[in-house]
Structures are given as C-alpha cells and as structure tokens.
C-alpha cells in the first residue's frame, strides 16, 4: 500500500524569523500546511544578523580561533529559533518540539566550520510526525564523530533542510525566503529579473557555486543526488499552503521536466574574489606545480587561472581566490619565492566575477562571444576568463558589477516583459 499523507519539509531563512512577529507568522504558515493534511518537519535558520554577530565575536577575540569553539558559538543562533518557533506553534495549538543536530542525530565529518553531512537517522522524526507532532530542527548544525558540535558553512540551513527531506523521504522541500522564487539574476540588483517557474538541478548548482546565494551550493548538490524536489518561495506572501497542484515558487527539477529550454538560465555575480599575479617567472616545466602546490597545502582554493608569456623567456601567472584566502595566499607565495623565483607579486581585491549559466551552451556556439561583445560595448575590461560546459565567467573591476549584470541580462534576452 502506498503512503499518501504528503510529507513536507519547510525551511525558513534568517529574515523569515527575524523577530517574534515573523516567528508568529511562520507558525501560522506551518499550521496551514499541517491543516492541509500534511506531515511537516521544519528547519530554521538563526534570526537575521545573529550568525554574523556570533562570527564577529569569535574573530574579535582571536582571528585564529579554535574552529571547534567557533562551531559551539555560532550554532547557538539556530537553537534559539527552533525553541521559539516550537513555543509559537504550541501557543496556537500545534504540537511541536525543537530538535538540535546531535539529538536527531545529524552526523557530519569533523571539518569544523564547513562540515559535510554523513548520515541522518530519520526514524525518530518520522515516528513523531506520524503521531502528529511537528519537529522544529535547528538548521546549520550537526555532530562530529567525536560528539562535538559542527556547522555546515554559511547558508548551511538549506543543506540541513534538503538532507532532512532525503532522510525522511519527504515529497518536497520548501525553502521559504525573502524573495518569491529563483530569478534569472539577483532581483535586488536587476529590477527586470524574471522569476523562473522551473530550473534544472545542474543550472542551479552552477549558479549557486558562482555566487547566487539563494540556495547553498551543497544543498543543490545533495538535492540532485538524492532526487529531492526543492521549491524556493516567499515567507512574506500570504496564501493557501502550497500543494502539488499549486506551487507558487520556483522548482528545481530534472532537465526533462523543462519544456521551454532557454539558452541561458541565469546570471550570477560574486564579490568574494581576489586576483593575484605572479610576474616575471622563469618559463620552465614545473612552474605551475611550484606555485599551486604550496597554495593547496595552505588550504587556499584557486578558481580562475591564466598564464601569459612575457619577453625574455619569462612568464606571468594570474589567478583568483576568495577574498578570505588572500592573506594566506600571499603568505604562501612569499614563503616559496626562492623556489618560484618570481619578479613581483601584485594583488587586487577590487574585482567581481560575473557568470552566465545555461545548459543551452552545450549545443549552441556564440554564448561566450555575446558576453565579450556586450562588455566591450560598455568599455568594461575583462581581466580573466574561465569556462565550463555550461558556464562562462569573467573577472572585471568591482565598480562595473551592476552595469555588467544588467547589460548581460538584456543581451541574453532575459529581461521581464
Ligand atoms: P535566507 O536568509 O532565507 O537563507 P538568503 O539571503 O541566503 O536568504 O538568500 C536569498 C537572497 O538571495 C535574496 O534576497 C536575493 O537577494 C539573493 N539572490 C541572489 N541571486 C538570486 C537569484 N538568482 N534568485 C533569487 N534570489 C537571488
Ligand atoms: N545562520 C546560518 C548563516 O547565516 C545558516 C543559514 O542561515 O543558512 O549562515
Ligand atoms: Mg540562505
């Protein structure tokens, strides 16, 4: 016999639980979903601003703080909201209780600050849900093999929600946030951004990984792997509880569920970029390994890379990292200066990466060229380029970020009518 009480995970981000009035409004949304006849599990973020404040406390005490204690501190934001929402629900007659990561347990590896989820035991949650109780799960947190608290990286409650949805076999994972869906680009930057009814896992994964923060990259990765249906929708719009016939947000789906395939699905930007140029290096085999080996050892993630040949048998290597890795990258390169034998090291963190993403690129040439032409028409200089099967990224001066995103949005025909 097939089960058919629909089972839904509802995740609420920071702005959705920013104060007590919003928590009351969230409780009402949960009640509606329960009254629509669904089994519901809820995942909550910390109240907006709280995680930043907690991270700031750790950094002020010591920039090189113990990552295990960082996790003990920053995981508290979600503990507060899970308890508060449980109280708000009980107050309006909905049976609910809070769950912390270790109580489920949601097991992770020991990579404190950016832990990966290993396994989740969904049995206890399912049992409670079937008995009519709503579990309110603290997002962003788990428990390491040694029993200490871990967190999943910024934006990690999205990943908690998708992982819980997979563990309890949910029919859908609804991600409630401060915009009403996934757009062709950040609707806060481009007023003409268009809401997408559907987007493929692959495109959303690529968009998230190049800066569209509406979903954490790992949450999309996991949804794709576990085939979790994900909907992004607004927590500020009133309306009936969503149901299969009535999904007001944007759905992340398989490619074959999309009827009208566009060349480009969306455009993203990332300000978290820094450029390093190692100049006047003797051009000999092994030079890339001499530069990037020590960077890898120093835990610096390198993204875009270009090597250009200069005069007199010398070469230049230019690459990008995240801004937070810049200081460590400089330290590593200076430490290996004798081995690399470079002339100078020049860095710039006043840059932004703009990316155009679409599975249509697989079968259509000219997507990259349109990007280059559009930027050139606006006199925007491209500093570094990188491409993948379904993405083209360029690095440009930060001051042109909005101009570039808007111009590209129009050039690819994405503007809302
Ligand atoms: P939450 O606190 O609910 O997790 P986030 O701030 O992490 O919310 O993510 C929502 C934000 O993502 C939106 O306010 C929007 O500015 C931004 N965003 C960036 N790119 C997109 C996009 N393509 N579609 C929708 N929102 C986007
Ligand atoms: N509160 C955490 C953060 O701000 C996790 C989340 O909201 O997804 O990164
Ligand atoms: Mg988020």
């Amino acid at each position: 016999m097939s089960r058919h009480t629909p089972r839904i995970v509802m995740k609420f981000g920071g702005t959705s639980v920013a104060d007590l009035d919003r928590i009351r409004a969230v409780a009402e949304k949960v009640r509606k979903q329960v009254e629509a006849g669904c089994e519901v599990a809820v995942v909550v973020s910390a109240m907006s601003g709280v995680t930043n404040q907690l991270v700031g406390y750790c950094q002020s005490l010591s920039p090189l703080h113990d990552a295990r204690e960082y996790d003990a501190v920053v995981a508290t934001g979600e503990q507060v909201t899970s308890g508060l929402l449980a109280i708000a629900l009980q107050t309006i007659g909905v049976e609910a209780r809070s769950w912390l990561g270790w109580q489920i347990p949601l097991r992770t590896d020991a990579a404190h600050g950016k832990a990966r989820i290993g396994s989740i035991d969904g049995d206890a949650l399912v049992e409670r849900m079937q008995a009519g109780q709503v579990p309110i799960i603290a997002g962003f947190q788990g428990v390491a093999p040694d029993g200490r608290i871990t967190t999943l990286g910024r934006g990690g409650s999205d990943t908690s929600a998708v992982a819980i949805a997979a563990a309890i076999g949910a029919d859908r994972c609804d991600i409630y946030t401060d915009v009403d869906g996934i757009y062709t680009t950040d609707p806060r930057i481009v007023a003409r951004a268009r809401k997408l009814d559907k987007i493929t896992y692959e495109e959303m994964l690529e968009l998230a990984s190049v800066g569209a923060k509406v979903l954490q990259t790992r949450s999309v990765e996991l949804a794709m792997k576990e085939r979790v249906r994900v909907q992004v929708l607004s927590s500020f719009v009133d309306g009936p509880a969503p149901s299969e016939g009535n999904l007001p947000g944007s759905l992340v789906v398989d490619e074959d569920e999309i009827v009208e395939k566009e060349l480009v699905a969306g455009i993203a930007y990332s300000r978290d970029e820094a450029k390093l140029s190692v100049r006047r290096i003797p051009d000999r085999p092994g030079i890339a390994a001499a530069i990037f080996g020590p960077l890898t050892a120093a835990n610096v993630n390198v993204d875009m890379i270009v090597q250009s040949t200069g005069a007199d048998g010398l070469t230049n290597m230019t690459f990008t990292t995240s801004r937070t890795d810049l200081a460590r990258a400089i330290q590593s390169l200076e430490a290996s200066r004798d081995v690399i034998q470079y002339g100078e090291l020049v860095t710039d963190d006043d840059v932004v990466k703009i990316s155009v993403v679409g599975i249509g690129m697989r079968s259509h040439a000219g997507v990259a060229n349109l990007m280059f032409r559009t930027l050139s028409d606006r006199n925007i200089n491209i500093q570094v380029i990188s491409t993948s099967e379904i993405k083209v990224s360029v690095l440009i001066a930060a001051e042109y970020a909005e101009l570039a995103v808007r111009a590209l949005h129009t050039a690819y025909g994405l503007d809302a009518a």
Side-chain angles (χ1 to χ4, degrees):
M1 195 183 80
S2 67
R3 160 177 71 101
H4 249 105
T5 304
R7 192 174 284 167
I8 309 292
V9 171
M10 304 171 78
K11 178 260 173 178
F12 295 92
T15 44
S16 310
V17 292
D19 56 38
L20 296 183
D21 279 339
R22 294 210 173 147
I23 289 176
R24 285 189 194 101
V26 163
E28 283 299 337
K29 279 204 180 294
V30 173
R31 174 164 73 172
K32 273 192 199 167
Q33 193 75 65
V34 171
E35 284 176 353
C38 299
E39 289 173 5
V40 177
V42 178
V43 173
V44 286
S45 286
M47 293 162 119
S48 72
V50 167
T51 310
N52 285 345
Q53 185 183 43
L54 296 169
V55 171
Y57 287 160
C58 296
Q59 264 157 2
S60 299
L61 281 176
S62 163
L64 294 173
H65 48 258
D66 181 338
R68 293 162 299 190
E69 301 307 348
Y70 164 95
D71 277 350
V73 174
V74 301
T76 58
E78 275 73 11
Q79 175 164 348
V80 171
T81 42
S82 62
L84 289 176
L85 182 57
I87 293 172
L89 280 164
Q90 290 165 3
T91 308
I92 56 171
V94 179
E95 220 191 300
R97 79 153 260 199
S98 63
W99 290 82
L100 301 180
W102 63 269
Q103 293 172 321
I104 294 173
L106 186 154
R107 297 185 198 283
T108 71
D109 62 14
H112 286 275
K114 49 176 187 312
R116 272 190 176 272
I117 298 175
S119 66
I120 301 179
D121 189 342
D123 291 352
L125 297 178
V126 168
E127 212 173 283
R128 302 293 180 106
M129 288 165 76
Q130 285 173 334
Q133 197 180 63
V134 179
I136 314 295
I137 297 148
F140 185 48
Q141 57 172 265
V143 57
D146 66 355
R148 299 199 64 172
I149 291 169
T150 52
T151 61
L152 308 179
R154 297 307 305 269
S157 296
D158 296 331
T159 304
S160 309
V162 171
I164 295 286
I168 65 174
D171 296 280
R172 207 174 60 242
C173 181
D174 282 346
I175 306 279
Y176 286 85
T177 184
D178 57 1
V179 287
D180 61 359
I182 299 164
Y183 280 72
T184 47
T185 192
D186 188 342
R188 295 187 193 287
I189 299 284
V190 179
R192 288 187 302 247
R194 187 155 46 84
K195 189 175 133 193
L196 299 165
D197 290 334
K198 290 179 178 172
I199 185 169
T200 64
Y201 288 113
E202 274 178 292
E203 286 166 323
M204 191 60 236
L205 181 60
E206 200 84 42
L207 279 172
S209 75
V210 291
K213 72 166 184 168
V214 61
L215 288 173
Q216 197 199 32
T217 306
R218 276 184 191 170
S219 72
V220 187
E221 218 170 65
L222 193 63
M224 187 164 155
K225 181 165 155 259
E226 302 283 342
R227 315 320 289 177
V228 175
R229 285 164 67 72
V230 173
Q231 179 186 207
V232 173
L233 67 172
S234 171
S235 65
F236 300 130
V237 176
D238 266 336
S243 61
E244 276 312 307
N246 167 32
L247 298 174
S250 301
L251 268 191
V252 189
V253 296
D254 272 323
E255 198 175 331
D256 55 18
E257 275 192 61
I258 299 206
V259 188
E260 266 180 68
K261 295 197 172 66
E262 307 262 0
L263 191 56
V264 162
I267 300 173
Y269 63 93
S270 161
R271 296 184 191 276
D272 181 27
E273 306 291 322
K275 183 179 71 163
L276 297 95
S277 296
V278 189
R279 299 199 179 144
R280 300 201 311 277
I281 323 164
D283 198 2
R284 53 181 165 76
I287 211 62
I291 292 174
F292 298 114
L295 287 171
T296 307
N299 238 327
V300 173
N301 274 328
V302 173
D303 178 19
M304 311 165 98
I305 303 178
V306 278
Q307 184 176 355
S308 54
T309 312
D312 308 325
L314 297 177
T315 187
N316 304 318
M317 193 77 83
T318 299
F319 58 92
T320 65
T321 68
S322 70
R323 270 187 212 187
T324 39
D325 283 354
L326 180 60
R328 251 180 307 131
I330 294 173
Q331 198 180 37
S332 154
L333 290 165
E334 285 175 347
S336 42
R337 182 162 192 168
D338 288 349
V339 182
I340 308 169
Q341 294 182 310
Y342 58 84
E344 66 176 332
L345 169 62
V346 181
T347 64
D348 181 1
D349 65 0
D350 208 15
V351 289
V352 63
K353 181 171 74 174
I354 313 278
S355 307
V356 170
V357 171
I359 47 179
M361 283 182 211
R362 283 189 197 132
S363 45
H364 287 84
V367 173
N369 198 39
L370 178 56
M371 183 175 202
F372 306 151
R373 254 196 0 251
T374 305
L375 297 176
S376 130
D377 286 348
R378 300 285 141 101
N379 259 322
I380 299 173
N381 186 42
I382 298 173
Q383 304 178 12
V384 189
I385 301 171
S386 73
T387 62
S388 77
E389 198 192 11
I390 64 163
K391 175 197 79 191
V392 187
S393 301
V394 295
L395 196 75
I396 61 173
E399 60 181 310
Y400 299 120
E402 298 187 6
L403 174 63
V405 173
R406 289 201 186 104
L408 292 167
H409 198 266
T410 304
Y412 286 103
L414 297 175
D415 289 353

